[in-house]
Amino acid sequence: MPLTSDQVKIVKATIPVLETHGATVTAHFYSNLLRDNPELKNIFNTTNQSNGHQSKALAGAVYAYAAHIDDLGALSPAVKRICHKHASLYIRPGQYEIVGKYLLGAFQEVLGNAFTPEVRDAWAAAYWQLANIMIDAEDALYRDTDGWTEWRNFRLYKKTPESEEITSFYLTAADGTPLPSYKPGQYISVRIKVPGLDHYQCRQYSLSDSPGNEYYRISVKKDRGPDAATAHPGLISNHLHNSVQVGDIIQVSCPQGDFYLEDTKSKSPVVFISAGVGLTPLMSMLNTLTGTHADRPIHWIHATHSRFTQAFRADIQIVAKSHKNVRVTVFNKLPSDDDVLGSDYHYPGRLDLSKLYRTSDLFLNNNSTEYFVCGPTTFMTDTEKVLLEFGVDASRIRAEIFGTGGVPPV
């Protein structure tokens, strides 16, 4: 049942309250939810719970929802992104019942008498309006998985270092069945039990090779820090690098994600812009295009800390030499004395698109050029800002947002 006009007014009237108390409400929500439903720890990221990122992200999402309660179209990109992540974690409709109960309970706990029955009813209606939209969207994603709607066992059959900090993991289905295809740029979730925790931890990793192989490849950056610290951001990446060996079993979900190369047969130019491990989904796109011998103009632009941290360095050079339509530009923050300017890298320092030619490098003269950007959040927002200033329409700029990001500003 849609919200009444009075309920919409009530939800919008609570915006100042959310500004002041939103983070407290969501902190209480997660604390109570996970205390009473410990099985949900198998879904939620322990690190993001410990550092407060998950709570702050939810507070931002609730605030954005209230602000856009009468204009939900503004939230469509964020909702779509969240639904893909939920589908990769196999979130079920019954879990929305639990979340709704504890979210409204947290409002009551924090706001007390100010959370009147009328306010509660309005927020209950608002919650279920959004929940039903997401349940329906996730159901559609599940129906598009060829029946892959549960975690599956995969075996690690190869583990290949790509740089000092990034390693590729090649995964095959443990039951030997063929792997479903995916869109270049999508990700899988992996579910692992880590020593020291009594529950699973799930993480999303981009598939870093073209679809159609007998394996799924993910390329994971090892975040530095104490391996045993359960709240450390590198908890799972360190476990993968240090402990998971060839032959081990890892649980994997069906590929999902709304960041992908949609038209692989297009003739329009495409510019891939990445930093660090952000190149992984773009590698899938690049390998897909070069594997099908597409002749569209491609410019691979990458920012690296040094050549020692630059993954797929040799692979990219081989691709550029064997495909005349592919150009490569590398910005190296700390080039070594052995690095050759013009070969190993092209510009010292951080990525700076203003140093590139607008037509031959960025194809700004072509209104159909596509731009795919992936890297740290500030890198992506800065790059998008520059492209917009160059006159690129926002609809032609795609960026991948990981972690707890993705809620639009209000």
Side-chain angles (χ1 to χ4, degrees):
M1 182 181 296
L3 278 78
T4 66
S5 58
D6 286 343
Q7 287 175 329
V8 169
K9 291 177 183 178
I10 290 173
V11 170
K12 291 185 76 70
T14 61
I15 290 175
V17 177
L18 293 174
E19 284 185 296
T20 303
H21 301 290
T24 304
V25 168
T26 55
H28 280 254
F29 160 74
Y30 279 117
S31 176
N32 296 339
L33 176 74
L34 296 177
R35 179 197 64 211
D36 296 344
N37 303 273
E39 71 279 2
L40 294 180
K41 292 179 181 180
N42 290 317
I43 296 173
F44 289 107
N45 184 315
T46 297
T47 300
N48 289 336
Q49 288 295 320
S50 299
N51 60 25
H53 290 176
Q54 190 72 60
S55 180
K56 291 177 183 177
L58 179 59
V62 172
Y63 177 83
Y65 182 49
H68 293 289
I69 194 68
D70 50 0
D71 180 25
L72 294 184
L75 298 178
S76 292
V79 170
K80 182 180 180 182
R81 185 176 300 115
I82 293 169
C83 287
H84 274 273
K85 185 172 182 179
H86 282 184
S88 81
L89 296 170
Y90 299 122
I91 301 299
R92 304 300 186 187
Q95 291 166 325
Y96 280 93
E97 294 271 1
I98 299 172
V99 167
K101 171 186 173 181
Y102 281 84
L103 184 60
L104 293 175
F107 270 115
Q108 187 76 66
E109 184 177 347
V110 173
L111 302 182
N113 293 334
F115 198 61
T116 64
E118 292 78 16
V119 175
R120 182 184 180 88
D121 289 345
W123 265 103
Y127 172 79
W128 278 109
Q129 174 180 261
L130 181 59
N132 286 324
I133 290 172
M134 298 178 75
I135 288 170
D136 289 344
E138 289 155 23
D139 181 63
L141 292 174
Y142 292 138
R143 292 198 306 269
D144 198 33
T145 62
D146 293 327
W148 185 355
T149 57
E150 299 286 349
W151 293 97
R152 287 178 59 184
N153 286 337
F154 274 62
R155 180 171 284 106
L156 177 64
Y157 92 90
K158 186 165 67 171
K159 186 175 177 180
T160 305
E162 306 291 359
S163 74
E164 283 188 346
E165 58 186 17
I166 297 174
T167 293
S168 286
F169 298 80
Y170 292 75
L171 303 166
T172 56
D175 60 8
T177 57
L179 299 181
S181 188
Y182 53 89
K183 298 179 178 68
Q186 290 190 304
Y187 58 78
I188 56 173
S189 286
V190 300
R191 188 166 80 154
I192 297 173
K193 266 198 172 177
V194 180
L197 294 179
D198 59 357
H199 53 268
Y200 286 100
Q201 281 290 276
C202 305
R203 298 291 187 273
Q204 290 72 47
Y205 293 111
S206 295
L207 292 156
S208 61
D209 206 350
S210 56
N213 295 301
E214 296 180 351
Y215 58 82
Y216 285 163
R217 184 180 76 178
I218 58 174
S219 303
V220 180
K221 177 183 177 181
K222 180 180 181 180
D223 288 317
R224 304 299 178 183
D227 298 351
T230 58
H232 180 258
L235 174 64
I236 299 302
S237 69
N238 275 269
H239 182 73
L240 286 169
H241 278 254
N242 298 340
S243 302
V244 175
Q245 303 300 326
V246 171
D248 287 352
I249 296 295
I250 295 175
Q251 292 189 316
V252 172
S253 69
C254 188
Q256 297 289 352
D258 66 336
F259 177 78
Y260 54 81
L261 183 68
E262 190 161 10
D263 187 356
T264 58
K265 296 181 180 179
S266 171
K267 300 295 183 181
S268 301
V270 59
V271 180
F272 298 123
I273 307 173
S274 61
V277 75
L279 53 66
T280 52
L282 307 188
M283 280 297 298
S284 178
M285 299 180 195
L286 178 68
N287 288 351
T288 298
L289 292 179
T290 56
T292 57
H293 305 289
D295 58 359
R296 66 192 296 187
I298 300 170
H299 194 175
W300 177 272
I301 303 171
H302 182 65
T304 185
H305 188 76
S306 74
R307 70 166 172 161
F308 304 107
T309 61
Q310 183 184 350
F312 303 109
R313 181 166 165 266
D315 302 61
I316 296 296
Q317 291 176 341
I318 291 171
V319 167
K321 289 178 181 178
S322 58
H323 295 81
K324 294 182 179 179
N325 60 310
V326 178
R327 301 188 58 196
V328 174
T329 297
V330 175
F331 288 81
N332 189 330
K333 185 179 179 182
L334 297 172
S336 69
D337 293 338
D338 295 331
D339 288 326
V340 178
L341 181 63
S343 176
D344 294 315
Y345 73 103
H346 304 87
Y347 295 95
R350 298 178 180 274
L351 181 136
D352 184 354
L353 295 182
S354 68
K355 293 182 177 180
L356 304 180
Y357 291 106
R358 306 241 175 150
T359 54
S360 59
D361 286 335
L362 297 176
F363 311 116
L364 295 175
N365 58 324
N366 190 319
N367 290 330
S368 63
T369 302
E370 295 180 87
Y371 302 85
F372 291 87
V373 185
C374 192
T377 301
T378 53
F379 169 86
M380 291 190 290
T381 54
D382 290 347
T383 299
E384 182 178 19
K385 180 181 178 182
V386 170
L387 290 173
L388 292 172
E389 290 173 351
F390 285 172
V392 178
D393 188 84
S395 64
R396 293 189 285 120
I397 306 171
R398 299 291 309 281
E400 177 68 298
I401 300 176
F402 291 105
T404 57
V407 176
V410 283

